[in-house]
Amino acid sequence: MKNYITCKNCNTENPHYQHICVNCKSYLRERVVNIDLWKTFGLLTENPVKGFKNIIFSEHKNFLSLIIIIASLKFLIDSVFISVAEGAFEPLAGFAVKYVFMAAGISIFLYLFSVVLHFIDKISGYSSRIKDHFSVLTYSFLPHVFGIVSVFIIELVVFGGNLFSKFPSPFDLKEFLAYTLLIFEFLLIVWGIFLTFMAAFAQTKRIIYSLLVSLLFNLLLFSGLYLFSFIFIK
C-alpha cells in the first residue's frame, strides 16, 4: 500500500484510515467518532487536507444526507437559471418533482464516482474505501450549500420574482448587482472544484491524480446539470 501508516509498536503497515493496528491492536491515532459540521466547515476553509482527513477518520459519516438535500436544491436552481438562458417558458413548473429527480441523480452520481475511484485506487496500490470517497466528495459540496443560504437569498431579496425571468432579466433591472452576484456564484464553483481536488489529495497525496479527479468530477457534474436543464426543465 502506498498511502499507509506504520504502527510504532510493531512496524506493521496499515491503511491510512485505520486508527487501530490490524496486527497488534495498538492505537495509531486519536479516535474520531462523529463529524462536527461547523468545525469541519471551518477546517475545509482554513486547512482542507486536515478537514477531509477528519471526515475520512470519522466512524460515523453524519450530515451527508443534509448536505446532499441542500446542495441538490442549489443544483436544481442552477439548472433553472440555465433553462431560462436557453429560453424556457415555465422553468419552475413541477419544481418538487424535478427536485426529487435531482437529489436522486446527485446521490447516484456520488456513489458511482466513488466506486470508480475505489477501483482505480485498488489497481494503483492505494488503500481507500468507497464510503470515504463518497463522504469527502459530498462535503466538497459545502460551497454550494453556502451559496443557497447566502448568495441565493440575497438574489431573491434583490430581484424577487424577476430572478427567474428573462424579460426583464436581473441584468436589465440592476446590472451591477446582477454581475456582482454572478461573480460570487462563479467563485463558489471555483471553491467547490478546489475542494474536490483537496478531497482526492487528502487520501492519496498525488497532485496530478487529484487534479484529474477534480476536473473529471466537476465536468461530469456540470455537464449533468446542463443535460438536466435541457431534458427536465426546458
Side-chain angles (χ1 to χ4, degrees):
M1 292 180 294
K2 298 179 181 180
N3 56 339
Y4 62 85
I5 53 176
T6 302
C7 176
K8 295 180 180 179
N9 185 53
C10 66
N11 293 321
T12 298
E13 294 183 353
N14 292 265
H16 70 107
Y17 49 77
Q18 287 289 125
H19 83 280
I20 295 179
C21 178
V22 296
N23 180 48
C24 68
K25 308 304 178 184
S26 298
Y27 282 95
L28 302 172
R29 56 171 174 80
E30 184 179 350
R31 183 186 181 192
V32 181
V33 179
N34 294 306
I35 298 173
D36 184 318
L37 182 60
W38 299 113
K39 180 180 179 181
T40 300
F41 182 77
L43 283 174
L44 292 180
T45 303
E46 300 174 4
N47 190 341
V49 170
K50 185 176 181 180
F52 282 121
K53 282 186 175 181
N54 278 348
I55 295 169
I56 294 167
F57 294 159
S58 177
E59 297 173 19
H60 301 112
K61 314 296 185 181
N62 42 317
F63 299 111
L64 297 182
S65 296
L66 177 64
I67 293 173
I68 291 174
I69 287 171
I70 301 176
S72 295
L73 179 59
K74 182 63 170 66
F75 292 138
L76 179 56
I77 291 170
D78 291 342
S79 294
V80 170
F81 282 133
I82 294 172
S83 69
V84 170
E86 293 288 330
F89 183 65
E90 293 183 351
L92 297 179
F95 190 85
V97 175
K98 294 170 183 175
Y99 171 73
V100 171
F101 277 103
M102 176 62 76
I106 290 296
S107 300
I108 293 171
F109 170 62
L110 284 169
Y111 177 75
L112 292 179
F113 200 87
S114 300
V115 170
V116 171
L117 288 185
H118 174 68
F119 176 75
I120 293 174
D121 289 342
K122 187 174 182 179
I123 63 177
S124 301
Y126 287 81
S127 62
S128 69
R129 298 178 296 187
I130 294 175
K131 66 177 183 179
D132 292 335
H133 283 302
F134 187 92
S135 300
V136 294
L137 289 174
T138 299
Y139 269 86
S140 74
F141 285 163
L142 279 180
H144 303 288
V145 173
F146 179 75
I148 197 69
V149 300
S150 58
V151 178
F152 179 66
I153 291 178
I154 296 174
E155 291 170 343
L156 278 178
V157 171
V158 173
F159 300 110
N162 292 309
L163 181 60
F164 299 107
S165 171
K166 192 171 184 179
F167 302 106
S169 74
F171 297 96
D172 295 325
L173 297 173
K174 298 180 181 180
E175 184 179 12
F176 177 77
L177 279 175
Y179 278 107
T180 299
L181 291 169
L182 182 62
I183 291 172
F184 277 108
E185 292 277 8
F186 176 75
L187 291 176
L188 289 175
I189 292 174
V190 173
W191 185 15
I193 294 173
F194 172 72
L195 285 185
T196 54
F197 167 80
M198 298 306 296
F201 184 76
Q203 297 217 66
T204 64
K205 303 296 184 183
R206 292 182 288 176
I207 295 177
I208 301 300
Y209 168 80
S210 302
L211 181 62
L212 292 175
V213 166
S214 178
L215 293 177
L216 179 60
F217 179 82
N218 286 282
L219 177 63
L220 292 174
L221 173 64
F222 289 104
S223 297
L225 293 186
Y226 180 82
L227 186 63
F228 186 92
S229 69
F230 185 78
I231 295 176
F232 288 92
I233 299 179
K234 185 177 180 182

